[in-house]
Amino acid sequence: MRIALVTDYYLPTLGGVQTVIKAHKEELERDGHDVLVFAPLAEPSTDPAVVRLPTARGFAPDGYPFTWTPSAAAAFLQDELRSRAVDVVHVHTEMFAALAGFAAARALGIPIVQTMHGRIDVYTRSVLPLPSVTTALLAGMHRRRMSHDRARVDSSAPYTRTRTARRMWRLMVSQANHADQVIVPSAHFAEKLLAQGVDTPITVLSNGLEQSVLDDIGDAEARVIRPGEPLQVMWCGRLSPEKRPEVFLDAVGQVPGIVAHLYGDGVSRGAVSRHAAQIADGRVEVHGPVPQSEVLAAMRRAHVLVSSSLDFDNQPMVLLEAIASGLPVVVTDPDLAETLPPGGGIVTPTPDAAGLAAVLARLRDDPAQVARLSAAAVAHREQIAQTTHRAALVGVYEAALATVR
């Protein structure tokens, strides 16, 4: 099978979607499939299977290269899909590269699979300037290239009460309903999509880690905290309001005897650095953006990983990387509990800094609990390998192909 993965962002930019696409590409290739990645890039890739879409010059919102123009991207993709005899188009995002993928695939009669990676309603509200204006522009541009007539968003849900949220949910639902098959990495997000009117067949399929990442991690070992050693706590992700790094820092500030390391970049990096500098004893270090290899090395040194996002994340790849490393995970969002291995993670009693601080203090004072959590993560490692989910992914492609035969 020849598969085209179409995305609005890819490596070398950092993020969970980029990591998922890389995992899909590597594992499908290991299974004998031909895989192409089409994405906007700041410069051409050294990998011939990664193809640069028409990309805006001098314009990279939030640091990501931007597909432009949509018409040029659709025409380019149509030529590429035809000449390369692509069987399935798998779209991973919702902006102009994604729309170009839909237009080109539909023109050629190629089935489309759409992965819904996350809540763009929360992302746009948190990151874009003047979201009431910019979301209207984005939704309008999206609607001109893809009808929103099949989206009837329920405004009674707590996450659709604002006009800006409803705009983005109509965009997400419309795109899902224009696909032949939809993949969602978590049950909690699938339930929201179904509640908002997605009628395309949905498969809940966990993200997985490719073999090269598992090789980089190496053998996972249960964590042992030595007497007198501070609890080493790690946070990794986009430094942005929807990830709530300030909640993590507030919790760290309340718990002496722990040392914290933050990895990532984003619009909140300056505020995060200033906040970290105010915590006594220099117990927080903000490392900024680093390659995945450095993140994995940091996981081997840490005792616990914290995710402080709330009502945003779908299935963060960093949680899977932590579990594969044998690293216990603490989350503040109850929805993310489905990602945690049995006995290998903790959901805080409340999602605020006080709830997180209480858990961190307990782990600091109970090294044996850290060891138990870590051992459970080690035992779960095989369940998060991409090989475990490859057959189901190929099954979704085959189901999409069956709709056009």
Side-chain angles (χ1 to χ4, degrees):
M1 192 183 305
R2 180 162 291 172
I3 303 133
L5 309 179
V6 180
T7 173
D8 283 275
Y9 23 87
Y10 192 55
L11 305 173
T13 62
L14 302 177
V17 174
Q18 297 90 313
T19 307
V20 172
I21 296 170
K22 175 177 176 286
H24 283 351
K25 179 176 182 293
E26 287 192 17
E27 193 55 40
L28 288 166
E29 288 173 340
R30 279 166 48 88
D31 197 39
H33 302 281
D34 292 329
V35 184
L36 300 160
V37 177
F38 292 92
L41 303 171
E43 58 186 35
S45 173
T46 57
D47 182 349
V50 178
V51 183
R52 185 177 186 261
L53 291 175
T55 304
R57 295 182 179 180
F59 180 58
D62 203 19
Y64 295 107
F66 189 75
T67 301
W68 193 256
T69 63
S71 297
F76 175 84
L77 261 175
Q78 187 169 330
D79 289 343
E80 289 287 318
L81 298 179
R82 181 192 298 112
S83 66
R84 296 173 184 261
V86 166
D87 297 302
V88 176
V89 170
H90 186 172
V91 178
H92 284 267
T93 48
E94 294 87 12
M95 290 293 102
F96 290 141
L99 291 171
F102 270 81
R106 284 287 176 252
L108 298 172
I110 300 172
I112 301 170
V113 174
Q114 170 76 48
T115 290
M116 306 302 294
H117 282 285
R119 296 277 302 281
I120 63 170
D121 58 317
V122 180
Y123 176 79
T124 52
R125 181 189 71 211
S126 301
V127 173
L128 294 182
L130 299 173
S132 62
V133 176
T134 50
T135 56
L137 292 172
L138 283 174
M141 290 188 288
H142 192 279
R143 189 169 55 248
R144 281 195 291 273
R145 296 189 169 273
M146 177 179 286
S147 169
H148 287 192
D149 291 346
R150 294 174 64 188
R152 296 288 184 268
V153 171
D154 178 7
S155 61
S156 67
Y159 50 86
T160 57
R161 288 177 180 167
T162 68
R163 179 178 295 179
T164 55
R166 289 193 294 274
R167 285 187 190 124
M168 293 297 98
W169 270 98
R170 277 192 290 271
L171 187 157
M172 287 187 283
V173 171
S174 295
Q175 191 151 319
N177 279 338
H178 278 82
D180 298 297
Q181 294 282 326
V182 170
I183 293 173
V184 183
S186 67
H188 71 265
F189 191 33
E191 290 169 3
K192 289 182 174 68
L193 291 168
L194 289 168
Q196 294 304 327
V198 171
D199 53 26
T200 300
I202 293 178
T203 299
V204 177
L205 180 60
S206 174
N207 294 324
L209 299 181
E210 63 272 40
Q211 189 59 47
S212 64
V213 171
L214 294 172
D215 290 342
D216 286 345
I217 292 172
D219 294 333
E221 297 181 359
R223 299 305 190 271
V224 176
I225 303 178
R226 298 175 180 83
E229 184 180 8
L231 184 72
Q232 299 286 335
V233 184
M234 179 178 172
W235 189 101
C236 181
R238 186 170 55 249
L239 295 176
S240 188
E242 74 280 3
K243 296 286 190 174
R244 305 200 310 158
E246 77 286 352
V247 171
F248 173 68
L249 290 173
D250 284 342
V252 171
Q254 297 175 34
V255 186
I258 67 174
V259 175
H261 297 267
L262 287 89
Y263 296 85
D265 201 3
V267 296
S268 299
R269 184 176 176 184
V272 166
S273 297
R274 289 189 293 273
H275 193 158
Q278 296 171 1
I279 295 176
D281 304 323
R283 294 188 292 113
V284 179
E285 186 171 356
V286 180
H287 296 266
V290 299
Q292 186 185 40
S293 58
E294 291 190 29
V295 171
L296 299 180
M299 286 181 174
R300 288 191 287 271
R301 297 190 297 268
H303 297 137
V304 63
L305 177 115
V306 168
S307 169
S308 54
S309 69
L310 180 67
D311 195 31
F312 170 69
D313 275 315
N314 192 349
Q315 188 190 58
M317 291 298 287
V318 69
L319 300 193
L320 302 185
E321 292 166 350
I323 294 164
S325 302
L327 188 60
V329 175
V330 174
V331 300
T332 58
D333 188 344
D335 280 344
L336 297 182
E338 66 179 281
T339 300
L340 304 180
I346 297 175
V347 180
T348 59
T350 58
D352 54 10
L356 177 55
V359 171
L360 292 178
R362 190 168 79 239
L363 294 177
R364 176 202 60 190
D365 297 337
D366 189 359
Q369 184 181 15
V370 174
R372 289 193 300 270
L373 292 166
S374 182
V378 172
H380 194 72
R381 174 184 166 104
E382 290 186 5
Q383 302 303 312
I384 59 171
Q386 184 67 222
T387 51
T388 305
H389 311 293
R390 182 185 62 212
L393 176 61
V394 173
V396 173
Y397 294 156
E398 291 173 344
L401 279 165
T403 65
V404 297
R405 285 173 179 160

